[in-house]
């Protein structure tokens, strides 16, 4: 079969018209970029044969000579320029496929034109290297380097598109990278978190290990294979999501992740209600997380239902495959209660082998709980009277001592703070516009005493 015939049929189906920057059609741009890609491979050994030119003319529907091709290679500078960029055609088709998928015209089972175009690059590259029955190592190196780069960049471009679309999904939360903060600023932010001393040390050790591995890699020193997927164990409100967000951005700064976004999801964002839906949901979420961290909260809920009609197992199987397919640019963190997470990891041998690093998030102490409350007050410019301070300290001491399964650590503090603001508003409401700034910014004993949280 003529490869380009099938390629043209795809173009005809999804013709995108004129590009924004010039008068070339998408077909012409794709054709030129394919020519440049194959010309890199042909020209890297310093010679161009008639059989190679015949190959190009046949498969790319061209009419060039050896001299023509030499001139293309010379004027384009493709052999002297080491920098790489993803072909415009792939980007254009990735965007088009995203829109078609959003409109339900295509899905992951029907495939898409962008992946087909990448496949054309792969096929043409392999065939042109075999034209003369002699494959040069330099040809293989150029082919592999550029093709892998195209695939990686295409995945990252798709993940940006998918993350933008997923932001409207109530079951998926996407936190994008804050480009303005340096690595040191992010580390300072991590270390400024109240409590979590063991977690901070574990994170710093992971960072140190990664940085040393990068040095060894640059010096071509052999090293042990390493999985960066993590298990966060602990009760609600202990800072697991906050640390995951920081970790995504830190890993981006040290070169582990290409984008540094955090995609938060729970069972409802992964598991569907009928056969086949779950795999598609997991694939969409994974695509949005490529280049960053996928954070699965209450991950144990994927295996807690033993009903044969439950699709949690399908979600796990799809997730494990995705982790393998994208192991160089995706980190998965599963989180939840300590004992339930242990059961979750034991439920599937694949989970146990891929998640071998555990971070334990302890309950906040009474002093830490009060420090969180105090930090919230300072953050919103509230002053606490001495009587109110003593009451709040005693309250969180009792709350900690008598904590049960409903104890929510930092979330309890936030709920307490919000209730205190409501009580303050009730106290001040009768004064109308005669309030001073000091009154508006003060929390008194009457604002905090006898606050009830859910036991």
């Amino acid at each position: 079969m003529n490869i380009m015939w099938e390629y043209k049929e795809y173009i005809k189906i999804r013709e995108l018209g004129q590009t924004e920057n010039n008068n070339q059609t998408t077909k012409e741009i794709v054709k030129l970029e394919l020519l440049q890609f194959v010309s890199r491979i042909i020209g890297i050994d310093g010679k161009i044969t008639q059989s190679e030119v015949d190959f190009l003319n046949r498969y790319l529907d061209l009419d060039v000579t050896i001299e023509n091709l030499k001139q293309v290679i010379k004027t384009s500078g493709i052999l002297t320029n080491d920098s790489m960029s993803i072909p415009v055609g792939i980007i254009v088709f990735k965007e088009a496929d995203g829109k078609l998928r959003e409109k339900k015209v295509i899905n992951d089972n029907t495939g898409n034109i962008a992946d087909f175009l990448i496949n054309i690059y792969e096929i043409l590259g392999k065939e042109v290297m075999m034209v003369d029955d002699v494959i040069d190592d330099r040809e293989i190196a150029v082919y592999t380097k550029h093709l892998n780069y195209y695939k990686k960049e295409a995945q990252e471009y798709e993940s940006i598109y998918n993350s933008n679309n997923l932001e409207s999904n109530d079951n998926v939360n996407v936190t994008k990278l804050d480009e303005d903060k340096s690595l040191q600023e992010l580390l300072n932010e991590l270390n400024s978190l109240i409590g979590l001393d063991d977690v901070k040390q574990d994170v710093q050790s992971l960072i140190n290990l990664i940085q040393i591995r990068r040095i060894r890699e640059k010096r071509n020193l052999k090293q042990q294979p390493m999985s960066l997927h993590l298990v966060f164990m602990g009760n609600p409100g202990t800072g697991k999501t906050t640390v995951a967000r920081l970790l995504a951005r830190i890993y981006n700064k040290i070169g582990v992740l290409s984008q540094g976004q955090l995609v938060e999801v729970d069972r409802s964002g992964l598991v569907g209600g009928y056969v086949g839906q779950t795999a598609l949901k997991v694939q969409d979420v994974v695509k949005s997380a490529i280049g960053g961290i996928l954070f699965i909260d209450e991950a144990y809920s994927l295996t807690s239902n033993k009903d044969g009609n439950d699709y949690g197992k399908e979600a796990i199987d799809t997730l494990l495959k995705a982790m393998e397919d994208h192991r160089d640019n995706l980190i998965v963190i599963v989180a939840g209660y300590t004992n339930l997470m242990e059961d979750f990891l034991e439920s599937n041998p694949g989970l146990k082998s891929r998640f071998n690093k555990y971070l334990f998030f302890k309950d906040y102490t009474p002093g830490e709980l009060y420090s969180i409350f105090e930090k919230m007050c300072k953050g919103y410019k509230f002053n606490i009277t001495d009587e109110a301070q003593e009451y709040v300290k005693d309250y969180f001491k009792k709350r900690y001592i008598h904590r049960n399964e409903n104890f929510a650590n930092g979330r309890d503090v936030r709920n307490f703070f919000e209730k205190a603001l409501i009580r303050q508003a009730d106290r001040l409401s009768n004064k109308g516009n005669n309030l001073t700034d000091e009154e508006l910014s003060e929390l008194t004993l009457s604002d905090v005493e006898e606050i009830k949280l859910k036991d």
Side-chain angles (χ1 to χ4, degrees), residues 167-183:
E167 286 177 339
S168 61
N169 187 334
D170 292 337
N171 298 320
V172 181
N173 182 37
V174 181
T175 303
K176 295 182 179 178
L177 174 67
D178 183 350
E179 297 286 356
D180 295 332
K181 292 190 176 182
S182 66
L183 173 60

Side-chain angles (χ1 to χ4, degrees), residues 5-19 25-28 30 89-102 104-117 158:
W5 180 88
E6 192 170 350
Y7 155 70
K8 288 176 183 177
E9 288 302 304
Y10 268 79
I11 291 288
K12 185 171 26 175
I13 293 170
R14 300 185 191 172
E15 176 60 68
L16 299 175
Q18 306 295 318
T19 63
T25 65
T26 304
K27 282 192 292 187
E28 291 169 345
V30 170
I90 294 177
I91 294 177
V92 171
F93 286 136
K94 276 293 181 185
E95 183 173 346
D97 285 327
K99 292 176 181 177
L100 289 170
R101 186 176 288 106
E102 186 178 3
K104 309 299 184 184
V105 176
I106 61 173
N107 57 42
D108 287 326
N109 289 331
T110 59
N112 57 66
I113 183 61
D115 290 341
F116 181 83
L117 180 56
E158 186 172 353

